[in-house]
Amino acid sequence: MATDFLNTPFMTSIIDTCSQIYQAGWAENHAGNLSYLLTEEEIEAYIGTDKKVISSRKLEVPCPNLSNKYFLVTAAGSPFKNIIKEPDKHLGIIQINEDGSGFDIIWGFRGNKRPTSELPTHLLCHSERLEADDQHRIVLHCHPDYTIAMTFMHELDQNAFTKTMWSLNSECVLVFPEGLGLLPWMVCGNGEIGMETAGKMKEFRIVIWPHHGILAAGQSVDQALGLIETIEKAARVYVVTDGKRKQCMTEDQIIALADAFHLNVRKGIVME
Ligand SMILES: [Zn+2]
């Protein structure tokens, strides 16, 4: 593996993103995790055939459709704020094995670290997003304050939540015309929430976990982070205008935006 591996474009962008998320206050303590699917070009340029297996692990939920794919993953229990200081400890690269029953660690996780406990959720989400979009690359989870706050103040109905978001800022329907996925509160870190989240990812790039945080998927680190920033801005406006709102964008205004930008807006949320 190339010795300048830490300076590759994808490594620097992921390390920067983890720092930005920490600085935004969305990855307190050990919160936040991320997984990035390496492209064929990145594997060829930076990994090639020079691959050494550090250790191997089994997956609770096999993922045969991710067979042989490589992912850069954050480590379990690793604060986002520390990733920039010791990336080879708090990040690692895994390769899913031939039958999808486990994976090999081929770089990083120094000091016997292991991938995030949310890895099964991430892999299930990658599987679903790749079915929907062959350019899909990243799954990112963090705890944006106002998005979480909104899940205490707004009814937890997916369509109603989406409509409110679209009515808070003109950008919202432009950035996520497909809407957003919203789960009921569930225990995190187990297979059930992983399956439910991946189910939502068949249709959405954003899934909100009430009273906990958000998952975003995208074709790039910037796209996934941009989705979270857009949601968080709207949620912030929702919270700070609580009890003071005299109006929001109307359904007609949302439809006018959708028409002007030729968007394929999710049906059933605003009247058409
Ligand atoms: Zn979390």
Side-chain angles (χ1 to χ4, degrees):
M1 201 175 286
T3 49
D4 60 352
F5 187 62
L6 286 173
N7 296 318
T8 57
F10 69 93
M11 282 297 271
T12 49
S13 110
I14 281 168
I15 292 168
D16 285 352
T17 298
C18 291
S19 291
Q20 285 171 36
I21 290 172
Y22 172 70
Q23 282 158 15
W26 304 342
E28 74 287 353
N29 197 12
H30 299 142
N33 39 69
L34 171 157
S35 59
Y36 173 81
L37 170 63
L38 276 81
T39 63
E40 297 288 334
E41 293 73 26
E42 286 161 345
I43 293 161
E44 202 168 296
Y46 305 117
I47 297 174
T49 52
D50 180 19
K51 190 184 86 176
K52 197 173 85 191
V53 175
I54 298 168
S55 63
S56 300
R57 287 174 177 266
K58 281 233 163 280
L59 280 168
E60 287 164 37
V61 185
C63 48
N65 52 343
L66 298 178
S67 162
N68 296 320
K69 291 197 183 304
Y70 292 85
F71 293 92
L72 177 66
V73 185
T74 50
S78 278
F80 266 30
K81 67 170 173 277
N82 292 346
I83 289 175
I84 195 164
K85 296 179 212 158
E86 295 181 284
D88 65 331
K89 178 177 174 186
H90 301 299
L91 295 171
I93 293 179
I94 64 169
Q95 183 183 24
I96 307 299
N97 64 16
E98 187 75 39
D99 63 6
S101 62
F103 60 87
D104 297 331
I105 295 174
I106 63 155
W107 178 85
F109 298 134
R110 185 167 50 77
N112 224 9
K113 287 279 208 177
R114 61 184 193 285
T116 169
S117 59
E118 297 288 1
L119 182 66
T121 297
H122 280 248
L123 294 178
L124 290 166
C125 290
H126 281 293
S127 293
E128 293 297 348
R129 287 311 307 160
L130 284 167
E131 289 285 321
D133 173 10
D134 63 6
Q135 297 302 304
H136 160 80
R137 289 287 172 266
I138 184 165
V139 174
L140 171 55
H141 168 62
C142 62
H143 296 178
D145 304 31
Y146 289 96
T147 305
I148 297 167
M150 189 167 161
T151 66
F152 290 89
M153 300 166 70
H154 194 284
E155 64 180 303
L156 294 178
D157 173 87
Q158 183 172 282
N159 281 359
F161 206 94
T162 303
K163 185 178 167 185
T164 301
M165 281 269 164
W166 284 353
S167 72
L168 286 162
N169 193 303
S170 303
E171 280 288 307
C172 284
V173 75
L174 307 186
V175 174
F176 52 99
E178 79 273 34
L180 54 81
L182 179 69
L183 288 181
W185 183 88
M186 295 177 74
V187 173
C188 57
N190 67 17
E192 196 187 348
I193 198 170
M195 299 291 277
E196 292 294 320
T197 305
K200 293 287 185 191
M201 289 246 172
K202 287 179 198 286
E203 298 175 77
F204 305 109
R205 292 168 297 159
I206 303 155
V207 180
I208 294 177
W209 288 354
H211 321 326
H212 181 151
I214 192 167
L215 281 98
Q219 297 177 347
S220 66
V221 180
D222 281 350
Q223 195 183 78
L225 186 59
L227 281 167
I228 295 173
E229 288 169 337
T230 305
I231 296 271
E232 176 67 353
K233 169 57 74 72
R236 184 176 180 188
V237 169
Y238 180 82
V239 171
V240 302
T241 59
D242 185 45
K244 302 168 193 157
R245 280 187 293 275
K246 293 197 167 42
Q247 61 279 315
C248 275
M249 285 167 57
T250 64
E251 294 198 12
D252 284 346
Q253 288 169 336
I254 294 167
I255 292 164
L257 268 172
D259 289 345
F261 287 87
H262 310 293
L263 301 174
N264 188 15
V265 168
R266 185 173 192 79
K267 301 275 181 251
I269 297 176
V270 290
M271 302 299 288
E272 288 187 76

